[in-house]
Amino acid sequence: MNIFQQLFDLFLHLDKYLGQIISQYGTLTYLLLFLVIFMETGLVVTPFLPGDSLLFAAGTFASPALGSPLNIWVLWVLLCAAAILGDTVNYWIGHYIGPRAFSGEVRFLKKEYLDRTHAFFEKYGGKTIILARFVPIVRTFAPFVAGVGEMTYVHFISYNIIGGIAWVSLFLWLGYFFGNLPFVQKNFSLIVIAIILISVMPAVYEFVRARLQPKPKAEATD
């Protein structure tokens, strides 16, 4: 049980232990980082894994100033691939489960709900898939719901690629260029909190904007 708790703590706070992992396992760290990012985006049951903070920490430890075996360009390619592949797997899991869950056997899961979800993702899904990348927990569920709602895959994959590359690039390169500044090193926990808050801002903005938009008036009838 103690070993399980240690492994769980390691995965949950991988960003904090990353320096120790790199010194002990060297380039095998690439595989561990790939798996965590893939699982955080690809498995709907693991939204608790670190995402933004892990990317920032990985970029920080890839700095040549630290003499790390990690190469920033290798990291960038691998983690972009992990993010895109993760969302793709999550989408297909939802796509497989959706029609079965809404087949009519479960009373409160009606086919009309599935149709509405499909219509929503066809109209707003691209923006949703991209913005969800920057919101912890939401990014784990967005591709799953897109799959359940049967969002057209060609439509989904294009925004998946854009969102995945944008998300990884932003936090990885922020860590690479700014992670080794003395202020950042002394206040890393606060930086992580700030990253999470910034990540939530796009969703808050879209929510507020949608609420403030005037509702269309019903047409008068004769």
Side-chain angles (χ1 to χ4, degrees), residues 1-12 48:
M1 187 65 180
N2 188 41
I3 296 176
F4 176 78
Q5 290 177 339
Q6 290 178 352
L7 288 173
F8 182 78
D9 184 62
L10 174 65
F11 271 87
L12 190 59
F48 52 82

Side-chain angles (χ1 to χ4, degrees), residues 31-170:
L31 177 60
L32 183 60
L33 292 172
F34 180 93
L35 289 175
V36 172
I37 294 300
F38 170 79
M39 291 171 63
E40 200 257 357
T41 57
L43 303 178
V44 76
V45 295
T46 54
F48 52 82
L49 290 175
D52 304 334
S53 58
L54 180 60
L55 291 172
F56 186 87
T60 299
F61 283 103
S63 172
L66 298 180
S68 169
L70 301 183
N71 178 278
I72 186 65
W73 290 106
V74 174
L75 267 180
W76 181 75
V77 171
L78 284 177
L79 298 185
C80 282
I84 294 169
L85 182 60
D87 260 30
T88 300
V89 169
N90 214 342
Y91 168 90
W92 284 112
I93 292 174
H95 188 79
Y96 177 81
I97 292 175
R100 290 159 179 78
F102 291 86
S103 61
E105 296 180 5
V106 182
R107 181 177 299 179
F108 61 87
L109 294 179
K110 299 181 180 180
K111 182 66 165 57
E112 63 183 276
Y113 299 158
L114 182 62
D115 294 337
R116 290 177 187 174
T117 305
H118 174 75
F120 172 84
F121 271 95
E122 286 301 305
K123 187 173 182 180
Y124 304 106
K127 183 188 297 185
T128 302
I129 295 300
I130 293 176
L131 290 178
R133 282 288 190 179
F134 298 89
V135 185
I137 299 179
V138 175
R139 66 171 155 264
T140 306
F141 291 97
F144 178 82
V145 176
V148 170
E150 298 182 327
M151 179 182 182
T152 306
Y153 182 68
V154 174
H155 191 199
F156 169 82
I157 190 62
S158 58
Y159 291 104
N160 174 21
I161 292 172
I162 294 171
I165 293 176
W167 175 56
V168 171
S169 299
L170 176 63

